Amino acid sequence: MTDTTTSDAVRPGGGGSATRRVAKHALLIVCGVVMIYPLLWMLSSSFKPTEVIFRDPSLWPGEFDLTNYTEGWTALGKPFQHYLWNSAVVAIASIVGNLLSCSLAAYAFARLEFRGRRILFAAMLATLMLPIHVLIVPQYVLFSQLDWINTTLPLIVPKFLATDAFFIFLMVQFIRGLPRELDEAARLDGCGHLGIYWRIIMPLSVPALATSALFTFIWTWNDFFSQLIFLTNPDLYTVPVALRSFIDGQGESAWGQLFAMSVVGLAPIFGFFLAGQRYLTQGLATTGLK
């Protein structure tokens, strides 16, 4: 009697499919290790003396020394918390500005009918292709005439003017997915556009708003170029600009302290990302940006 039962292992194509899955996972693991290695090396180096960092490439320090953290915290003349606070003020104000202005612009593009709407929307999307290096010169001239240089206003005020086209596009895509019947029902109850925007659209747009807030925080916290251009007073330095102060042009850089404070500066980003990860996934999945 012949056994007609065929296992998955000997089924045609079964073994090859399993092998391909294993190979894909192995490749992903290797790529993940390669990408995370610089971060792990920086974390490990933050516990090593500066003279040992580039002589010992291992990821596990011989001994855990917190000297880089204690000395780096006060190495720039002010406690490093001063620069963390400066970055937090700019980042939080930017989040508030982006969420308010970009959501209003997105509601207008997604729900209102007005002449030139498609042309304006296309022009707004075209601004995504403009690099910051093209915009920084006219912005500097404008802010200089307003006497805003060496203040945080150039970093915050534009966020209240819906200048980030990416977030407008993301919110437009999300709002377009909301049923218009909700607007009509609210209009029957006497709501105008502002009422519909605030009472209907905003509560339902929490995933898109959280995604915008997360990206705004990360991009603003990590922004070095704009903050270096507009902030020249050391008292106003944010974390990226303050970290640059650890690097000496004469070659006497405090690498250990730099790595230690870099780890401290990355902690808020990881915390904010972990807190909003669920909304980030939901927001991207529901706006077509998969």
Side-chain angles (χ1 to χ4, degrees):
M1 181 176 179
T2 304
D3 186 5
T4 58
T5 303
T6 304
S7 65
D8 291 340
V10 298
R11 190 172 295 165
S17 177
T19 302
R20 285 194 298 270
R21 287 197 300 269
V22 172
K24 289 179 181 179
H25 283 80
L27 180 61
L28 289 174
I29 293 174
V30 171
C31 292
V33 170
V34 170
M35 288 187 292
I36 202 175
Y37 176 82
L39 178 62
L40 296 178
W41 182 82
M42 182 183 71
L43 178 62
S44 173
S45 300
S46 68
F47 296 101
K48 301 177 183 177
T50 299
E51 61 273 9
V52 179
I53 291 176
F54 297 103
R55 291 187 316 194
D56 181 14
S58 64
L59 293 181
W60 193 261
E63 58 178 314
F64 288 89
D65 187 1
L66 298 178
T67 303
N68 290 327
Y69 287 88
T70 56
E71 294 181 354
W73 190 263
T74 57
L76 301 181
K78 289 182 178 294
F80 201 75
Q81 66 189 33
H82 177 81
Y83 308 108
L84 292 171
W85 173 254
N86 289 343
S87 285
V89 169
V90 174
I92 293 174
S94 298
I95 290 174
V96 174
N98 263 346
L99 294 186
L100 181 62
S101 62
C102 293
S103 61
L104 283 170
Y107 176 80
F109 282 123
R111 286 296 199 256
L112 303 184
E113 297 291 340
F114 55 91
R115 182 175 300 178
R117 180 170 64 104
R118 294 185 178 181
I119 296 176
L120 291 175
F121 187 71
M124 182 270 298
L125 291 180
T127 62
L128 290 172
M129 296 182 289
L130 293 175
I132 183 60
H133 307 86
V134 175
L135 303 174
I136 199 67
V137 173
Q139 286 179 352
Y140 188 89
V141 173
L142 173 62
F143 296 140
S144 178
Q145 292 176 350
L146 294 173
D147 198 22
W148 286 2
I149 301 301
N150 205 28
T151 70
T152 57
L153 293 177
L155 304 174
I156 296 175
V157 173
K159 304 300 182 181
F160 287 85
L161 303 176
T163 57
D164 286 323
F166 173 78
F167 300 120
I168 299 176
F169 173 72
L170 186 147
M171 293 183 190
V172 166
Q173 294 297 100
F174 189 91
I175 294 174
R176 284 176 176 172
L178 300 177
R180 287 182 176 269
E181 289 79 5
L182 298 175
D183 300 17
E184 297 172 359
R187 194 170 290 110
L188 291 175
D189 289 337
C191 280
H193 286 297
L194 286 179
I196 295 173
Y197 160 80
W198 187 253
R199 298 181 181 180
I200 305 298
I201 301 299
M202 287 300 97
L204 295 175
S205 301
V206 170
L209 295 174
T211 302
S212 301
L214 179 60
F215 277 117
T216 300
F217 181 84
I218 294 175
W219 293 349
T220 303
W221 191 274
N222 288 331
D223 181 23
F224 172 76
F225 184 70
S226 298
Q227 296 170 6
L228 178 66
I229 294 296
F230 296 122
L231 303 178
T232 59
N233 185 353
D235 290 340
L236 297 175
Y237 281 178
T238 55
V239 169
V241 184
L243 291 176
R244 178 62 179 81
S245 302
F246 285 101
I247 302 178
D248 186 0
Q250 303 301 321
E252 298 295 331
S253 303
W255 293 106
Q257 298 176 14
L258 170 62
F259 293 150
M261 293 303 100
S262 296
V263 172
V264 173
L266 284 174
I269 295 180
F270 283 112
F272 205 83
F273 179 81
L274 292 176
Q277 184 179 13
R278 177 170 62 91
Y279 294 105
L280 174 65
T281 305
Q282 185 178 358
L284 293 179
T286 53
T287 52
L289 300 177
K290 297 182 179 180

